[in-house]
């Protein structure tokens, strides 16, 4: 991926100044969404909260971005609204640059001890939960497939061939409908409790109708006839659950690009204080500090060369494989690699102001944004849903 550094800086600055100072923006991790109608319901619900100016919920990334007036509402009100709709929302803590006083008296800075900020494990915990959920869905899918195959074979090729066949089909289909199908039944009950319907409602209704009718036909054939539809129940649940599993696996891969970008940045920086070198976490580096970058190390933050001469590999930013020579006064981009010489640099942009942070933010916004023409398909789907119901 080739990125124009100047364009990234300009767009990052534009995004930073476009927001009204009286407005705040919050990002939420939202769980429980199963289809596009879920994200639409959450968006509409959040926009009804007093003080919320805009809300965008993305089904693929399972995140919601809310712009609001902090004088009228807060995060707790928005979380409560999402939970009232039947979903779970958790505010995502934005990486905040630690505010450390820039000491003019370097001697006092050496005596001052600063603790590194605790490692942010929120994303890791969320990733572990998603991985465990994906494993659980895979196991359920295997169970459903193993039980559905004999149901389909018996129903298609050996119908009414031996006594007790319907009982055997009932035994094979019941775990599919009750265990695997509970994913859909639970979602349907949740939306029904809030006076709405979604895709889970249709799946639950169709599979339950065919299953219950087959049960009645098995034990009371005189009421509804002896024809059963166990294969329909098994096929509906298995195929749609297969789609949900593939969708969940695809969602788990949507943030790989961002994770790789985040992994490019340095973890620590060598700060020069009173002629001595101090290694600090990158979160503690402040604008104006003097840093030392050895050959083979990553440039910790954006800055400019004070002394030294070297060549820097900027391929991760520009795509150009040939290293760029850097002299005194030249600009440096964080996360690029110093190739040869020893560089002394001054930090000019840190934290969320660096080029890499702007690129990450642009990728996140691209994943969560919607094209303007998506409003027409959304409107048509909503109209079709009302007509069907």
């Amino acid at each position: 991926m080739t990125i124009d550094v100047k364009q990234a800086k300009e767009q990052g600055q534009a995004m930073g100044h476009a927001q009204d100072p009286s407005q705040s923006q919050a990002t939420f991790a939202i769980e429980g969404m199963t289809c596009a109608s879920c994200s639409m319901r959450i968006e509409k619900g959040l926009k009804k909260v007093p003080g919320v100016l805009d809300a965008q919920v993305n089904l693929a990334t399972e995140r919601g971005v809310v712009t609001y007036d902090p004088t009228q509402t807060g995060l707790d009100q928005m979380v409560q609204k999402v939970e009232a709709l039947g979903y779970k929302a958790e505010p995502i803590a934005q990486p905040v640059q630690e505010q450390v006083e820039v000491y003019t008296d370097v001697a006092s800075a050496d005596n001052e001890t600063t603790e590194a900020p605790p490692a942010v494990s929120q994303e890791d915990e969320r990733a572990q939960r998603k991985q465990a959920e994906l494993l659980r869905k895979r196991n359920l899918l295997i169970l459903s497939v193993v039980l559905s195959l004999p149901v389909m074979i018996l129903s298609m090729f050996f119908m009414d061939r031996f006594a007790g066949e319907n009982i055997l089909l009932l035994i094979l289909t019941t775990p599919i409908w009750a265990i695997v199908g509970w994913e859909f039944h639970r979602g349907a009950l949740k939306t029904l409790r809030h006076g709405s319907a979604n895709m889970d409602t249709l799946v639950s209704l169709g599979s339950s109708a065919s299953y219950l009718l087959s049960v009645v036909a098995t034990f009371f054939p005189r009421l509804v006839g002896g024809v059963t539809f166990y294969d329909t129940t098994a096929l509906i649940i298995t195929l749609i659950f297969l789609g949900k599993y593939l969708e969940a696996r695809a969602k788990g891969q949507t943030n790989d690009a961002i994770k790789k970008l985040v992994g490019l940045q340095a973890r620590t920086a060598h700060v020069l204080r009173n002629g001595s070198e101090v290694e600090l976490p990158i979160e503690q580096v402040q604008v104006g500090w003097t840093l030392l970058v050895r050959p083979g190390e990553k440039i910790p933050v954006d800055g400019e060369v004070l002394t030294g001469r070297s060549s820097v590999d900027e391929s991760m930013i520009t795509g150009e494989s040939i290293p760029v020579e850097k002299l005194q006064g030249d600009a440096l981009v964080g996360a690029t690699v110093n190739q040869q010489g020893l560089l002394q640099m001054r930090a000019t942009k840190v934290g969320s102001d660096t080029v890499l942070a702007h690129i990450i933010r642009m990728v996140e916004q691209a994943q969560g944004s919607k094209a303007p023409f998506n409003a027409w398909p959304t409107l048509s789907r909503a109209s079709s849903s009302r007509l069907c119901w």
Side-chain angles (χ1 to χ4, degrees), residues 35 37-38 40-42 44 84-87 187-202 205 385 389:
C35 59
S37 64
C38 296
M40 290 170 53
R41 290 183 64 239
I42 296 175
K44 292 179 181 178
L85 294 172
Y87 305 93
L189 292 173
K190 184 189 300 181
T191 55
L192 182 63
R193 189 168 63 247
H194 294 88
S196 182
N198 60 2
M199 185 190 71
D200 290 341
T201 308
L202 298 175
L205 245 135
S385 301
W389 286 98

Side-chain angles (χ1 to χ4, degrees), residues 264-301:
L264 292 174
Q265 62 186 359
R267 294 289 178 263
T268 60
H270 302 288
V271 182
L272 290 180
R273 289 179 172 174
N274 198 23
S276 62
E277 180 183 333
V278 180
E279 185 174 2
L280 294 176
I282 194 173
E283 292 83 5
Q284 294 185 6
V285 177
Q286 299 295 305
V287 174
W289 284 10
T290 301
L291 311 178
L292 189 67
V293 185
R294 295 187 175 86
E297 293 182 344
K298 291 183 179 181
I299 309 295
V301 294

Side-chain angles (χ1 to χ4, degrees), residues 44 49 304 369 386:
K44 292 179 181 178
V49 177
E304 63 178 2
S369 62
R386 293 189 181 94

Side-chain angles (χ1 to χ4, degrees), residues 309-313 323-326 337-341 343:
R309 177 176 180 176
S310 181
S311 57
V312 176
D313 181 6
V324 181
E325 187 176 4
K326 298 293 181 180
V337 182
N338 182 24
Q339 293 283 303
Q340 299 174 353
L343 291 177

